[in-house]
Amino acid sequence: MATTSSRPQKRWDTRRTAKAERLRTGAAHCDGKVVERGRLKDLLQNVVRPGDRVALEGDNQKQADYLSRTLADCDPERINKLHMLISSVSRSEHLDLFERGIATKLDLAYAGPQSVRIAQLVDDGTVQIGAIHTYVELYARMFVDLPPDVVLLCADKADRDGNLYTGANTEDTPTIAEAGAFHDGVVIVQANEIVGSEELPRVDIPGSWVDYVVAADRPFFLEPLFTRDPRHIGDVEILKAMIAIRGVYERHEVVSLNHGIGFDTAAIELLLPTYGEQLGLRGRIAKHWVLNPHPTMIPAIESGWVESIYSFGGESGMNRYAAARPDVFFNGADGSLRSNRVLGQLAGQYAVDMFIGSSLQIDGDANSSTVTDGRLSGFGGAPNMGHDPHGRRHSTPAWLELARGEGASRRGRKLVVALAPTFRAGGVPTFVETLDAVDVGKQAGMPLPPVMIYGDDVSHVVTEEGVAYLYKAHSLADRRDALAAIAGVTPVGRRADARRTEALRRDGLVAFPEDLEVETRLANRSLLAARSIEDLVAWSGGLYEPPSQFRDW
């Protein structure tokens, strides 16, 4: 038997040694941890190595754009074959990295603004997709099989020791920083400004996690992703909102929830202080929220509907408003909003009664996806929040109302609601026989179709035609028939049989507006608590400062 002393000595600090060598190489291009702006490219070309796994922030909203632009400008002869981990592929230079040969492989969660271009690059083999993740899934893998060698982040302020203030848009920064800092990755941060330690409003990330900081050439890009102008909410969105409030929120006493992005859910937010008030629902529903500071939430907050909001990130123009409402928002001792995308996703997965959101396509089994022909947009956090988490153990009336099973096997169910028009802009049907994602997945060589939310997780579908209560179905045929009944004259809806639909209405699997006592004649813009961005500013008492593209007064 070989003794310990006779075995070949294995090294257990190769990553640490490799990082120390990188930092020695980078030392020539910085003063302590501070990198001069003009020397950032040289630093990257010495610290980043061919084949590295690089986590780039690319968040849902904020972007480390100075770092991404500089990396994309590096010499492909020196940096190449990178494996990029970008949660939100939102910037053109994110894909320039691949076209220039600097990067070859990509793991992502969302690519809305670049969805068409990324589909083209995948099709021609320029981008190799590792996987399309949910946000939490991608971050979790950074602690398992995808630990980054280099991390590129952004912050509002940094001091010379690397302590960071991330402000209202903390989002993903602490999680990605930890994945790098504690597994010997190099952590590089662009800051809007480098200040004295006493000027940091609070320390969101300690300097011991950070290797380099650089003052960016301009403030990091922040997309107003959750801002919806009420002027673009029409009668169809208002009708769907009325149906949802009566047929889901009121019926199931939904107290805690997450709203997806879009005009459909914005309409619900703006109907709570009007239509919801008429129904006497204030204090009974929609009290606890997990969502960004949507400007369209302002009237509901001001009307006393909302008790708490925990946010994934901030929203442009909402910082002063959120700071002025500390009873509602989670704010730091400095007075500013504190957000965290991973904790928000976990709250949206486990702590809420309901997730409600839309999709680009839904098939006859209620499977949905935002990946369509020619568009690879990803999913973001919808799959995390849009499923029934079997690990949940706390009960609420809404969760218990959907309970199933007997004895020790009995458990409640989270409401997962698909809210969608039967047709999208241009007369494109939302409800289709087969998701485009099936063919897209095959063409991209994916082992599974990129489905966003699986149909067996969907408890309700709401359209302007009515509600399908899928959780009540006793068979797959019941589910399909109920969905077809509210799918309009789409390919799925044309399968509906009038007699079968009437039987489903009697059994409570389908409800039309008249079954819910929704007066369709009232579905017009007069019901909206605010009909313009200017109205939202007025509701906020001038605290909301909308981005310039939303101002026209």
Side-chain angles (χ1 to χ4, degrees), residues 469 472 474 478 500-510:
Y469 295 95
K472 290 186 173 184
H474 297 293
D478 284 348
R500 177 67 174 141
T501 296
E502 285 305 307
L504 292 170
R505 290 175 71 184
R506 288 194 301 271
D507 293 341
L509 274 73
V510 170

Side-chain angles (χ1 to χ4, degrees), residues 143-449:
F143 293 90
V144 184
D145 61 324
L146 295 179
D149 301 300
V150 178
V151 168
L152 305 177
L153 303 172
C154 56
D156 189 341
K157 294 178 175 64
D159 67 14
R160 298 186 66 85
D161 294 323
N163 296 299
L164 305 180
Y165 168 68
T166 50
N169 282 83
T170 295
E171 298 196 44
D172 314 337
T173 315
T175 304
I176 304 173
E178 184 160 337
F182 291 92
H183 203 56
D184 300 308
V186 177
V187 179
I188 306 171
V189 182
Q190 70 171 76
N192 292 342
E193 55 181 331
I194 296 178
V195 301
S197 298
E198 69 284 354
E199 297 177 75
L200 291 177
R202 65 176 188 244
V203 174
D204 291 311
I205 296 174
S208 59
W209 296 17
V210 177
D211 298 301
Y212 301 106
V213 294
V214 59
D217 55 353
R218 57 178 181 259
F220 58 74
F221 178 76
L222 187 61
E223 182 182 1
L225 187 64
F226 295 90
T227 299
R228 292 294 180 270
D229 189 336
R231 290 181 306 173
H232 303 303
I233 296 174
D235 293 353
V236 173
E237 287 79 22
I238 293 167
L239 176 58
K240 281 181 288 181
M242 295 168 70
I243 292 170
I245 289 171
R246 293 234 66 177
V248 181
Y249 292 62
E250 179 183 18
R251 176 169 293 193
H252 299 293
E253 299 182 40
V254 174
V255 171
S256 57
L257 67 159
N258 167 262
H259 271 188
I261 307 171
F263 288 103
D264 288 340
T265 47
I268 295 173
E269 293 159 12
L270 291 172
L271 259 61
L272 290 177
T274 57
Y275 188 61
E277 195 73 31
Q278 294 170 16
L279 297 173
L281 296 178
R282 179 157 54 93
R284 294 171 52 196
I285 65 168
K287 297 195 293 185
H288 303 290
W289 299 72
V290 180
L291 80 174
N292 281 49
H294 294 191
T296 43
M297 284 293 297
I298 292 172
I301 295 170
E302 296 299 306
S303 300
W305 279 75
V306 179
E307 291 188 14
S308 68
I309 295 177
Y310 186 75
S311 299
F312 309 97
E315 182 69 3
S316 295
M318 285 289 285
N319 288 350
R320 286 180 62 221
Y321 181 77
R325 301 291 182 268
D327 282 351
V328 172
F329 293 97
F330 285 69
N331 293 342
D334 64 304
S336 70
L337 181 72
R338 168 67 176 190
S339 62
N340 187 300
R341 187 162 310 282
V342 172
L343 296 181
Q345 292 288 337
L346 291 175
Q349 182 171 351
Y350 282 101
V352 301
D353 292 330
M354 179 178 74
F355 165 78
I356 180 168
S358 192
S359 183
L360 295 180
Q361 283 190 340
I362 302 173
D363 70 14
D365 290 329
N367 300 302
S368 65
S369 186
T370 52
V371 174
T372 58
D373 187 23
R375 297 181 67 93
L376 201 156
S377 56
F379 314 131
N384 286 121
M385 292 174 288
H387 81 284
D388 178 32
H390 290 179
R392 173 172 168 164
R393 290 297 181 268
H394 75 281
S395 62
T396 59
W399 188 76
L400 288 172
E401 187 170 346
L402 273 63
R404 57 185 181 242
E406 300 293 336
S409 298
R410 186 166 178 78
R411 63 170 179 249
R413 179 173 174 176
K414 179 180 178 180
L415 281 72
V416 176
V417 183
L419 173 64
T422 54
F423 287 87
R424 292 182 281 124
V428 178
T430 302
F431 295 89
V432 297
E433 293 284 358
T434 304
L435 298 176
D436 288 355
V438 175
D439 283 339
V440 171
K442 289 179 182 176
Q443 293 165 9
M446 297 179 185
L448 295 171

Side-chain angles (χ1 to χ4, degrees), residues 365 473-481:
D365 290 329
H474 297 293
S475 66
L476 183 59
D478 284 348
R479 287 176 59 87
R480 289 172 173 167
D481 290 345

Side-chain angles (χ1 to χ4, degrees), residues 7 25 48 54 61 103 116 122 175 276 339 341 351 376 383 408 411 481:
R7 294 176 189 165
T25 305
V48 182
V54 178
Q61 293 166 278
V116 174
V122 169
T175 304
S339 62
R341 187 162 310 282
L376 201 156
R411 63 170 179 249
D481 290 345

